[in-house]
Amino acid sequence: QVQLVESGGGLVQAGGSLRLSCAASGRTFSGYAMGWFRQAPGKERELVAAISWNGKSTYYADSVKGRFTISRDNAKNTVYLQMNSLKPEDTAVYYCAAGRYGSRPHEYDYWGQGTQVTVSS
């Protein structure tokens, strides 16, 4: 089992920045790829960014490329999502997940409880 706890969400104005953190405990964190997903009301959960177990490979959704950066610190069992130039359409609940390096929710085995990000216009 891997337990994941997100933090860092909140309310920010358009153009602002937030940094999400996801702290992992339990089984070996470094053995898993990590992903950040988001889900807005009435929409499907979508992958925002993913990072391989060693940090050498990353993936970004087109909607966040150039604005968001995913990183991980295996010594601290933590994955981060730096979000810059935020837009109102980034408003959603953000979830971190551990599993395979993939783009679909079913490829991830463990999920955090989510953290709300709200971007005002």
Side-chain angles (χ1 to χ4, degrees):
Q1 289 286 338
V2 176
Q3 292 78 42
L4 302 172
V5 179
E6 302 98 335
S7 61
L11 173 64
V12 64
Q13 289 188 335
S17 298
L18 283 174
R19 188 194 196 201
L20 304 184
S21 298
C22 174
S25 60
R27 296 186 66 178
T28 306
F29 171 76
S30 61
Y32 293 92
M34 298 296 296
W36 282 100
F37 287 78
R38 67 186 180 188
Q39 188 166 20
K43 295 188 177 182
E44 293 186 353
R45 191 169 296 191
E46 63 172 352
L47 180 68
V48 173
I51 188 166
S52 60
W53 69 272
N54 59 4
K56 291 186 177 181
S57 296
T58 56
Y59 166 86
Y60 296 94
D62 288 343
S63 59
V64 306
K65 279 181 182 176
R67 301 188 298 123
F68 291 10
T69 303
I70 189 171
S71 61
R72 66 188 297 162
D73 185 337
N74 286 345
K76 295 183 177 179
N77 287 355
T78 303
V79 63
Y80 306 97
L81 185 68
Q82 178 67 43
M83 306 186 295
N84 298 329
S85 302
L86 283 161
K87 304 176 180 179
E89 51 262 44
D90 294 318
T91 295
V93 177
Y94 283 70
Y95 300 88
C96 73
R100 290 182 287 164
Y101 185 65
S103 62
R104 294 168 290 183
H106 76 264
E107 296 178 282
Y108 293 80
D109 301 311
Y110 305 102
W111 293 82
Q113 82 288 351
T115 185
Q116 177 71 46
V117 171
T118 303
V119 184
S120 63
S121 57

